[in-house]
Amino acid sequence: MSSQSEPDHRIEVDLPAAAFAHAPLDRSAIAKQLRALWLVELVRERRLGYGKAAELARMPKAAFVQLLAQHGVAASDLDSEELRAELDAAREVAD
């Protein structure tokens, strides 16, 4: 999802033919997977938040968080004390 003033960038990647010996060559599926994995890496590097990354991956946030977990990436970098403070603040607002 790009804005009208900011077009998407097209990047070509050469993949080895041997990689497709046991999997079909589905260009669309591969492009979608590469896009999502690149965004996972940006979240891992803390260069992008998971919400924006999910949007750019064109995935629901919950699905993107699952993808992050599959790759050992935390959706949040809050430590336990910061998380507790955030939850306490949210409870106060809800009350």
Side-chain angles (χ1 to χ4, degrees):
M1 295 183 188
S2 63
S3 67
Q4 291 177 351
S5 64
E6 194 176 332
D8 286 345
H9 295 283
R10 184 170 202 78
I11 297 176
E12 290 187 33
V13 177
D14 293 323
L15 299 172
F20 303 98
H22 303 288
L25 176 61
D26 180 343
R27 292 177 191 277
S28 177
I30 292 167
K32 183 178 179 181
Q33 185 176 19
L34 288 173
R35 178 185 191 111
L37 291 174
W38 179 64
L39 292 162
V40 164
E41 190 57 27
L42 291 180
V43 173
R44 180 190 318 270
E45 295 171 356
R46 295 187 175 131
R47 294 173 52 199
L48 195 61
Y50 83 90
K52 185 64 173 179
E55 175 187 331
L56 295 173
R58 300 177 184 137
M59 297 174 69
K61 285 182 185 177
F64 194 78
V65 168
Q66 287 179 323
L67 183 63
L68 290 172
Q70 290 171 0
H71 292 277
V73 178
S76 172
D77 61 354
L78 298 176
D79 64 29
S80 61
E81 196 58 38
E82 291 170 320
L83 181 57
R84 186 173 294 111
E86 289 290 326
L87 291 172
D88 289 344
R91 283 188 196 106
E92 287 178 19
V93 171
D95 290 341

